[in-house]
Amino acid sequence: MKVAIVHEWFVDYSGSERVVEQLLQVYPHADLFAVIDFMPQPLQQHIQHKSVTTTFIQKLPFARNHYRNYLFLMPLAIEQLDVSSYDVVISSSHAVAKGVLTHASQLHICYCHSPARYAWDLYHQYLNETGLRSSFKGFLAKLVLHRFRNWDAASAQRVDFFIANSKYIGRRIKKNYGKDSVVIYPPVAIENYALSPAKGDYYFTASRMVPYKRIDLIVEAFSAMPDKKLIVIGEGPDFEKVKELAGANVTLLGYQPYDVLRTHMQQARAFVFAAEEDFGITPVEAQACGTPVIALAKGGALETVTSETGVFFDTQDKNSIIEAVQRFEEKESSFNPQLIRKSVEKFNQIRFRDELRQFVMEKYHEFRQSL
């Protein structure tokens, strides 16, 4: 079985790249395709230092740092990748990868991290936060996203089977594309996060600082609770905005190495999570450390956090977070670190590989018999 793996872009090592890493563990001889490949040399170990077949966008001006500005060209670009010689095409998609062209004798399975948020669910939020609600530049952005949305829905019909990374994403796939899906939760390196029953005196959050992660709300809430300490790790476009909101009890550490992040996660009283995330790997990593989670009751967190492992708040606002922290402290002594870790062990990498391998083989055999 000759396999091609089509990914959006290789520029760093985040959640979707972790999925590709595990796909390559299952199919080590697969070939890689992507819109662009600017992954730094040290990170290429995660994709077995494989060469990546890219599109013409790879050679366009400023593509290394501003590739997202070429979104209007990406549907055309992804369709130029020639994967016609492969038996199975697995796309790892949150934007355009699923739009790769396949023929009737090929099986195309899409592992969908999310339908593109900025084109669908978060369209109006994106326009507001980027100042594109009005002006000529805003008109162009709306036109591009309108055309992208039409292409996105049409290209989804090229996929034979969708795998969703959560039930939440499965509902979005059905809503936006009209397609059913099966859920295979993404791989989390549970074994890298040792259980730590001993906790410190601070709360903790970590994320890339982009608007939808809502780190600003978490910092604002804790700044209104000067008797409670919050430590934040992460950097990004919203860093200066978040810094202006931070009170004396809030420590912003910016980017930190993995070991530093993990140590803070292990020793925190609780991990605070305010994003409506597709799945949310960091809350799972926190629980693997035996650390309870204070999370927004939306998105993937509803599938990874329970009343025995954390506390929920219903809305993305300062007062809801403050109230959730108060409820957490009322029941803090009842949380069992061993039980918290045990609850997320099912999200391990071996489970992902086994479920993925079984699903692909079943569908491949069914597909071949139907030819």
Side-chain angles (χ1 to χ4, degrees):
M1 190 173 70
K2 193 177 179 183
V3 178
I5 297 173
V6 184
H7 188 53
E8 238 85 53
W9 42 72
F10 289 105
V11 294
D12 57 16
Y13 179 61
S14 300
S16 60
E17 286 74 34
R18 298 182 191 191
V19 168
V20 173
E21 179 182 29
Q22 295 303 310
L23 289 175
L24 287 172
Q25 291 291 318
V26 179
Y27 303 107
H29 300 297
D31 292 325
L32 291 182
F33 297 79
V35 173
I36 58 168
D37 173 24
F38 292 114
M39 181 172 276
Q41 181 66 28
L43 296 180
Q44 290 181 14
Q45 62 176 321
H46 299 294
I47 58 170
Q48 301 179 9
H49 295 281
K50 282 180 174 284
S51 61
V52 179
T53 301
T54 58
T55 71
F56 63 85
I57 293 178
Q58 179 84 15
K59 298 180 180 179
L60 293 182
F62 313 111
R64 178 180 292 272
N65 296 316
H66 301 288
Y67 57 91
R68 286 186 174 87
N69 291 344
Y70 290 116
L71 176 68
F72 71 102
L73 290 174
M74 287 186 185
L76 172 64
I78 203 74
E79 291 176 352
Q80 306 314 305
L81 291 174
D82 183 2
V83 296
S84 58
S85 65
Y86 296 87
D87 301 305
V88 176
V89 176
I90 303 175
S91 56
S92 162
S93 186
H94 55 76
V96 299
K98 72 180 185 321
V100 67
L101 297 178
T102 56
H103 55 72
S105 297
Q106 290 177 290
L107 175 65
H108 180 184
I109 295 174
C110 174
Y111 189 91
C112 185
H113 308 282
S114 170
R117 301 184 196 94
Y118 44 82
W120 295 98
D121 302 60
L122 301 184
Y123 172 69
H124 293 288
Q125 180 179 325
Y126 169 76
L127 293 177
N128 290 330
E129 290 173 346
T130 55
L132 294 174
R133 176 61 67 183
S134 58
S135 77
F136 181 69
K137 185 178 179 181
F139 171 77
L140 290 178
K142 293 172 190 175
L143 180 61
V144 167
L145 289 173
H146 171 72
R147 291 182 173 178
F148 177 84
R149 198 158 41 243
N150 289 338
W151 175 87
D152 193 42
S155 66
Q157 308 313 306
R158 304 171 188 171
V159 176
D160 295 302
F161 298 99
F162 273 98
I163 300 173
N165 72 352
S166 64
K167 296 176 184 176
Y168 171 63
I169 291 303
R171 292 193 295 272
R172 290 179 60 199
I173 291 171
K174 185 69 173 179
K175 177 76 172 180
N176 297 330
Y177 302 149
K179 303 273 282 187
D180 293 325
S181 60
V182 63
V183 174
I184 298 179
Y185 289 114
V188 183
I190 301 294
E191 67 279 2
N192 291 343
Y193 294 86
L195 174 68
S196 177
K199 301 301 179 183
D201 65 344
Y202 62 89
Y203 293 85
F204 179 63
T205 192
S207 172
R208 177 164 169 74
M209 293 195 185
V210 292
Y212 88 95
K213 295 289 190 179
R214 302 317 309 262
I215 301 298
D216 56 332
L217 279 183
I218 298 174
V219 169
E220 188 178 5
F222 275 86
S223 296
M225 298 183 287
D227 59 322
K228 305 185 194 306
K229 183 178 179 181
L230 174 70
I231 295 178
V232 183
I233 286 180
E235 61 183 5
D238 274 8
F239 185 85
E240 291 303 321
K241 172 185 175 182
V242 171
K243 186 176 180 180
E244 291 178 3
L245 295 171
N249 61 320
V250 176
T251 303
L252 303 180
L253 297 180
Y255 169 80
Q256 293 294 321
Y258 169 75
D259 289 346
V260 174
L261 185 151
R262 180 176 56 187
T263 298
H264 280 86
M265 190 174 278
Q266 289 172 322
Q267 298 177 1
R269 293 175 68 176
F271 182 83
V272 189
F273 189 72
E276 185 175 345
E277 192 62 272
D278 309 322
F279 173 74
I281 287 179
T282 49
V284 175
E285 293 171 338
Q287 291 174 89
C289 298
T291 301
V293 175
I294 301 172
L296 177 69
K298 291 183 180 180
L302 288 173
E303 299 171 51
T304 62
V305 182
T306 70
S307 60
E308 294 183 325
T309 68
V311 169
F312 288 107
F313 55 95
D314 293 327
T315 56
Q316 287 178 316
D317 63 63
K318 178 181 72 173
N319 291 332
S320 290
I321 295 175
I322 292 172
E323 191 271 335
V325 171
Q326 293 171 346
R327 283 190 289 111
F328 166 78
E329 293 189 352
E330 290 172 0
K331 61 180 295 189
E332 184 174 7
S333 61
S334 68
F335 288 110
N336 183 320
Q338 287 80 16
L339 186 151
I340 292 173
R341 178 181 172 83
K342 187 174 179 60
S343 73
V344 296
E345 288 178 347
K346 60 187 177 185
F347 298 113
N348 66 78
Q349 295 173 333
I350 295 175
R351 181 272 321 162
F352 172 82
R353 294 196 296 266
D354 288 345
E355 290 183 8
L356 190 285
R357 183 187 294 107
Q358 180 178 351
F359 180 82
V360 172
M361 289 307 299
E362 285 180 359
K363 297 307 176 185
Y364 179 68
H365 289 312
E366 291 174 8
F367 183 77
R368 297 303 299 176
Q369 291 172 0
S370 69
L371 294 180

